[in-house]
Amino acid sequence: MLQSFSPRLISPTSAKTPVVRGARACTVCRAAKMKCVGAEDGQKQCQRCKRANVECVFEKHRRGRKPGSKLSDASKMLRRLEKGLNSAKMKSQSSDTTSPYHTDDLRIPSSQEGFPTSRSSDQPYSSSTSHFPSNELPSPMQPYQTPDGYPPSSNGSRNIPMEEDKDDLERSDEPLFPEKLIQENKRNSFFRTILNPESLPATAPRSTSYTPPPTNSPAPAGLNDPITAGIVNEKEVQDLFDLIFLRLNPFINLFDPTLHTVSYVRSRCPFLFTTLIMAGCKFFKPEKFKECQKLAHEFSVHAFSEGWKRVEVVQAFACLTYWKDPTDNRTWTYIGYACRMAVELGLNRYIAHPSASETDFQRLERRNRERTYLVLFVHDRSLSMQTGRHWMLPEDDLVRHAVSWPEASGTTIRPEDVIISAFVALSRIAAETTDIFNSAKGALNNANSDINYEHVLAHCNVRLTQWDHTWRQEMEKARGEKFHFSFLSFFRLHVRLFLNSFGIQSSMQPNSRQPPSLQALTMCCTSALESLHIVSEDFHGMKLLRYGQESITVMTAYSAIFLLKVCLLAFHFQFDV
């Protein structure tokens, strides 16, 4: 597409006078990524804003920046806040939903979420008792509908997310981050309904053999949890907790069924209690979901404004991102807040030798704090890999010693703990490899780059194979079930697909004639195909697919869209288009 017109290219007989684009674009045209015509650098209202009857705003020029330089994080945040204010002004001044820049939804699905998974019951872990039955499911609930009187949790259909920042978009030389690839193909979102409603599981009662003494922490004045608000009764809450640990906790692995009983969670943190009930209602009592969701968001506002700080608040903010509405774009905000609170609370404290006088209850609470930090670490690195942003939590002693964390439980090794440690190790492999590639940022199209992609990727693939062998053995020792092995494979394949995509990035650039690396292309294709097989056969066969958090959908979509991209790449080289 021509960006401007040259007088030499205009025919003398042309009846149409070319319109000259200004050197700068207003915020509306910049958000729509369209030419800003007729504004004369802010002297007049541009044609687009004039048609839409909105204010035409021009941002101050970034003085002193050299071409190609990047703004600091603080400057970027300031610009994003200014954009948000401008967007709010536009919304308040015009109710026209047919604006020329509103033809496409600009929101980007956040990914979310971290890797870990969990067993759903605290019954004895034996190979003869399956916690993921394939033929014991109650009838599925119908998807909930948004009541007219309750607004969606997003900021509106014309919200401009952080990803619209120009500096974030100028990344044609960067790898195929899942969120970026899915955004480019969101018009063909064929993966919209990969969840298959089937029958639900029969409720498996959890053991309450160990109930820690409650510590009263009543809800703040003016706030009620779902029971005191009259939304659900105690019997319904117990049933929901059983289903949460049976169907939802396996995908996040954040809770220990021995510790997190109904009485314990409700007495310790009404915010976490409400958030868990909200998640359970979304799948098992959809008619009550919106009421619980409203309560949970009210708690989140109070928690932020009043500075609540405890491990259960960290867990609550994380849970708000796992099974959120598709239009909710607060994942990055919530996880960032949870990560910083976790560090402030010292959840990353590594205790090599716990006190000999430590009671069972103290051990459960200590491991609850450690588990929360490790889950956040994996979630943080997963978000970084999906979006291309920097992670927030660095490696520390707890992370470096996570390999031996399952054995430190003092009791029988749980498969959930094995998966947490496995995903921490997997995240470290992914981070170390991406660091190598990011050190040559901007050189993916440079044939003279000093990075040997073939060598780096070969070493990475060897490490991933060793990881698979090691953690499969550990899972066998923990007597894991089919779900646990499939979950390990699914995330390993996703990481392998993403890392090997660095090796074919330059070949997938527009107008590129460089052939892709055969090794990287083979690994990418086999990883994507095997990932889709696990989702369609294993997860679906165990009737667990519909309960996965949004990151499962994002990773599945990434595999499918990547294969379509490869098909187009093959067509390009076959016909030399």
Side-chain angles (χ1 to χ4, degrees), residues 15-277:
K16 187 175 180 180
T17 303
V19 181
V20 179
R21 190 182 78 171
R24 294 189 298 161
C26 68
T27 55
V28 173
C29 295
R30 183 176 299 170
K33 305 185 192 67
M34 302 292 288
K35 293 181 180 179
C36 188
V37 179
E40 297 181 2
D41 279 355
Q43 300 301 319
K44 296 192 305 182
Q45 193 176 28
C46 74
Q47 294 181 7
R48 182 166 290 100
C49 292
K50 188 174 182 180
R51 288 197 301 268
N53 192 27
V54 297
E55 184 179 1
C56 191
V57 179
F58 283 79
E59 289 186 344
K60 187 176 181 181
H61 190 273
R62 308 174 196 171
R63 300 186 182 279
R65 293 182 64 227
K66 297 180 180 179
S69 63
K70 299 295 182 181
L71 287 174
S72 66
D73 290 341
S75 299
K76 287 184 179 180
M77 181 61 68
L78 179 61
R79 295 186 64 242
R80 288 164 184 160
L81 290 174
E82 291 174 349
K83 284 187 179 182
L85 292 175
N86 292 332
S87 178
K89 289 181 181 178
M90 288 187 288
K91 290 179 185 177
S92 63
Q93 293 178 6
S94 174
S95 59
D96 182 12
T97 59
T98 59
S99 172
Y101 59 87
H102 186 56
T103 55
D104 293 322
D105 189 356
L106 296 177
R107 287 187 302 272
I108 302 174
S110 298
S111 37
Q112 337 160 281
E113 288 57 280
F115 304 169
T117 177
S118 164
R119 297 272 296 242
S120 51
S121 170
D122 60 347
Q123 297 175 353
Y125 300 105
S126 64
S127 57
S128 61
T129 303
S130 174
H131 297 271
F132 305 101
S134 59
N135 56 356
E136 299 180 4
L137 287 157
S139 175
M141 303 293 182
Q142 294 297 321
Y144 65 89
Q145 300 294 327
T146 303
D148 294 337
Y150 189 77
S153 58
S154 70
N155 294 329
S157 59
R158 291 170 64 176
N159 177 52
I160 302 175
M162 289 192 297
E163 286 76 15
E164 293 291 7
D165 191 290
K166 184 177 179 181
D167 289 318
D168 293 337
L169 291 170
E170 294 173 349
R171 298 193 304 202
S172 61
D173 61 339
E174 291 194 0
L176 302 175
F177 294 109
E179 185 172 337
K180 179 180 177 182
L181 184 61
I182 292 172
Q183 182 195 17
E184 292 173 353
N185 295 271
K186 65 190 302 182
R187 294 182 181 178
N188 299 318
S189 55
F190 57 89
F191 56 91
R192 191 170 300 164
T193 51
I194 66 168
L195 304 181
N196 302 280
E198 305 202 33
S199 66
L200 282 179
T203 304
R206 297 187 298 117
S207 169
T208 56
S209 57
Y210 186 91
T211 303
T215 301
N216 291 329
S217 178
L223 288 181
N224 297 309
D225 65 29
I227 294 180
T228 55
I231 300 174
V232 292
N233 57 44
E234 293 185 3
K235 175 62 169 61
E236 291 174 323
V237 166
Q238 185 61 58
D239 293 340
L240 285 173
F241 260 61
D242 290 336
L243 289 168
I244 287 169
F245 276 91
L246 184 66
R247 293 302 180 192
L248 304 187
N249 199 46
F251 285 95
I252 62 172
N253 196 22
L254 188 56
F255 303 104
D256 182 350
T258 307
L259 177 66
H260 293 96
T261 61
V262 173
S263 59
Y264 176 84
V265 176
R266 188 183 182 195
S267 63
R268 293 288 298 226
C269 184
F271 179 21
L272 176 60
F273 178 75
T274 303
T275 304
L276 287 176
I277 296 302

Side-chain angles (χ1 to χ4, degrees), residues 116 254 347-348 367-380 393 396-403 405-406 417 420-421 423-424 427:
L254 188 56
L347 303 187
N348 58 334
R367 289 186 64 80
N368 178 49
R369 293 190 295 269
E370 295 169 347
R371 179 184 300 106
T372 300
Y373 186 82
L374 293 176
V375 169
L376 278 179
F377 176 84
V378 173
H379 195 160
D380 179 37
L393 295 179
D396 50 27
D397 286 341
L398 180 60
V399 171
R400 285 188 285 268
H401 288 85
V403 173
W405 186 75
D417 293 345
I420 289 180
S421 297
F423 286 158
V424 170
S427 300

Side-chain angles (χ1 to χ4, degrees), residues 498-573:
F498 171 72
L499 295 179
N500 280 273
S501 69
F502 281 87
I504 62 174
Q505 175 69 19
S506 59
S507 302
M508 301 187 78
Q509 294 297 323
N511 304 320
S512 173
R513 304 180 68 87
Q514 179 180 347
S517 163
L518 182 59
Q519 170 192 273
L521 183 60
T522 301
M523 284 294 181
C524 287
C525 291
T526 55
S527 298
L529 289 171
E530 291 176 21
S531 295
L532 295 177
H533 178 80
I534 290 175
V535 169
S536 60
E537 298 295 331
D538 295 354
F539 294 165
H540 173 56
M542 288 180 279
K543 298 180 175 64
L544 287 170
L545 182 58
R546 68 190 299 260
Y547 306 112
Q549 71 269 38
E550 189 186 33
S551 63
I552 302 295
T553 305
V554 171
M555 294 159 69
T556 304
Y558 180 57
S559 296
I561 295 175
F562 186 89
L563 291 174
L564 291 178
K565 287 280 189 181
V566 170
C567 290
L568 293 176
L569 180 65
F571 177 85
H572 171 82
F573 281 104

Side-chain angles (χ1 to χ4, degrees), residues 4-24:
S4 60
F5 295 93
S6 171
R8 291 177 296 178
L9 298 178
I10 303 176
S11 171
T13 60
S14 174
K16 187 175 180 180
T17 303
V19 181
V20 179
R21 190 182 78 171
R24 294 189 298 161

